[in-house]
């Protein structure tokens, strides 16, 4: 029998903070107008069928509004949108104040100058402890190539410095 191990939430946050993630803003056109929230737990899930996943906190007051529409857009943030990451992470404020956007093919807000966007219909939800694991069916997507991504690393925003040559490759 293995010994009982204990991992605290703070230890988990500190150690997993060493894994750099991109930042996204998940948006939808709700009955009350455009809504959205900042989310760093986003990933590609399947190429065939085309599925993506993200995990909002169970305490999110915005995710239930988006869920009710059955569709959403994942806006992948470029480095210059740190201010939007912070703005959409706040509760209780008008998150779209001063934010320019256009409508996606499914009618959701695509933030102007997003690095990329992925338009989805809600496919499935699963229990993920203090988060919900959301799976979206990809219906449309687009990216721009002239910008760098906004990253989150060790609890702070970070940038990308592209390596000119990778070790072990033939250049």
């Amino acid at each position: 029998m293995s010994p009982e191990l204990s991992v605290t939430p703070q230890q988990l946050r500190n150690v997993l903070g060493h894994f750099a993630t991109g930042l996204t803003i998940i948006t939808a056109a709700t009955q009350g107008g455009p809504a959205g929230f900042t989310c760093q737990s986003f990933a590609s899930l399947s190429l065939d069928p085309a599925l993506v996943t993200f995990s909002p906190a169970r305490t999110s007051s915005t995710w239930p509004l988006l869920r009710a529409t059955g569709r959403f857009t994942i806006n992948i943030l470029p480095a210059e949108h740190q201010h939007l990451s912070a703005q959409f992470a706040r509760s209780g404020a008008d998150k779209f104040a001063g934010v320019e956007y256009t409508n996606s093919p499914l009618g959701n807000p695509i933030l102007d100058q997003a690095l990329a966007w992925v338009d989805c219909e809600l496919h499935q939800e699963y229990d993920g402890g203090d988060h919900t694991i959301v799976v979206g069916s990809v219906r449309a997507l687009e990216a721009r190539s002239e910008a760098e991504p906004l990253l989150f690393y060790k609890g702070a925003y970070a940038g990308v410095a592209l390596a000119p040559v990778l070790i072990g490759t033939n250049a």
Side-chain angles (χ1 to χ4, degrees):
M1 194 144 87
S2 63
E4 205 169 305
L5 301 177
S6 176
V7 176
T8 68
Q10 189 60 44
Q11 286 173 311
L12 189 62
R13 179 186 299 265
N14 289 342
V15 171
L16 296 185
H18 287 77
F19 181 67
T21 62
L23 285 157
T24 67
I25 295 176
I26 315 293
T27 60
T30 72
Q31 287 183 345
F37 63 95
T38 300
C39 184
Q40 77 180 79
S41 60
F42 164 73
S44 170
L45 182 61
S46 171
L47 296 176
D48 188 15
L51 300 173
V52 295
T53 184
F54 66 92
S55 299
R58 288 207 181 274
T59 57
S60 171
S61 58
T62 306
W63 170 240
L65 301 173
L66 277 63
R67 177 195 298 122
T69 70
R71 55 181 53 135
F72 49 84
T73 295
I74 297 141
N75 293 269
I76 300 172
L77 296 180
E80 66 267 17
H81 278 185
Q82 287 183 22
H83 67 288
L84 289 182
S85 172
Q87 183 170 329
F88 278 82
R90 285 188 223 116
S91 294
D94 178 4
K95 296 177 183 180
F96 278 85
V99 175
E100 304 275 333
Y101 65 90
T102 57
N103 289 329
S104 74
L106 293 177
N108 301 310
I110 298 172
L111 305 180
D112 283 3
Q113 301 303 307
L115 180 62
W117 56 268
V118 184
D119 216 14
C120 300
E121 291 179 336
L122 180 60
H123 177 73
Q124 192 64 261
E125 285 184 272
Y126 302 94
D127 179 21
D130 60 3
H131 283 66
T132 299
I133 301 166
V134 177
V135 177
S137 296
V138 177
R139 298 296 181 234
L141 68 166
E142 194 171 300
R144 63 185 178 111
S145 60
E146 73 281 358
E148 296 296 329
L150 178 59
L151 300 179
F152 202 67
Y153 177 68
K154 291 181 165 180
Y157 293 117
V160 171
L162 298 178
V165 178
L166 296 176
I167 298 173
T169 63
N170 296 332

